[in-house]
Amino acid sequence: MVLDRLDDPDHPVYSMGQAAELLGVTPAFLRNLDATGLLRPGRSDGGHRRYSRHQLDRVVALRRLSDQGHTLVSAAEILDLRADLDGERARHAATARERDEAVRDRDTALGQRDTARRERDRARDERDAVRGADPEQT
């Protein structure tokens, strides 16, 4: 459904004027981010810039880092490195979950093996006991 795109944080729905007003920045600031390649807004059919919620969040983070003394280029690099780190942490967590599941599966299999061996040994002991009581069954 068309309205589902409004829930998509990556769908470009905000015009430059709306984005600038929401963020408290000038349209020139947003144009500069686009011109320097630090932010790539979508484009409408008429060629006008359209921004997603994720892009608005990035502008806020860029502005915050810029206000702390970073250049916009270094601020963008910091954000990219943070995103890479978050991705690696997520992959590590997924790998750890897979490892833990594999360990549980292995432990279950080992337990089943040990149970089967005990049952086998118990059956052998019973067979040997019967053979020992009745020597003709050997």
Side-chain angles (χ1 to χ4, degrees), residues 111-126:
Q112 291 170 342
R113 181 203 63 193
D114 293 344
T115 298
R117 284 180 176 173
R118 283 191 298 276
E119 289 173 0
R120 179 201 64 201
D121 292 345
R122 192 172 22 257
R124 284 181 179 169
D125 290 345
E126 288 174 7

Side-chain angles (χ1 to χ4, degrees), residues 61-76:
L62 287 169
R63 185 64 186 253
R64 186 174 295 129
L65 288 167
S66 176
D67 290 346
Q68 292 173 2
H70 294 279
T71 66
L72 287 174
V73 172
S74 69

Side-chain angles (χ1 to χ4, degrees), residues 47-134:
H48 299 283
R49 291 174 180 88
R50 294 288 184 256
Y51 298 87
S52 69
R53 288 195 317 262
H54 276 154
Q55 289 174 320
L56 297 183
D57 290 340
R58 184 171 175 86
V59 172
V60 168
L62 287 169
R63 185 64 186 253
R64 186 174 295 129
L65 288 167
S66 176
D67 290 346
Q68 292 173 2
H70 294 279
T71 66
L72 287 174
V73 172
S74 69
E77 184 67 21
I78 289 168
L79 295 179
D80 292 343
L81 289 171
R82 286 178 181 170
D84 290 348
L85 181 59
D86 289 345
E88 289 302 319
R89 285 180 174 153
R91 281 188 285 282
H92 174 74
T95 302
R97 283 190 301 275
E98 290 173 9
R99 180 206 58 220
D100 293 345
E101 184 178 335
V103 167
R104 283 191 299 276
D105 290 348
R106 181 207 60 202
D107 291 346
T108 298
L110 289 174
Q112 291 170 342
R113 181 203 63 193
D114 293 344
T115 298
R117 284 180 176 173
R118 283 191 298 276
E119 289 173 0
R120 179 201 64 201
D121 292 345
R122 192 172 22 257
R124 284 181 179 169
D125 290 345
E126 288 174 7
R127 181 198 66 203
D128 292 346
V130 168
R131 284 183 179 165
D134 187 3

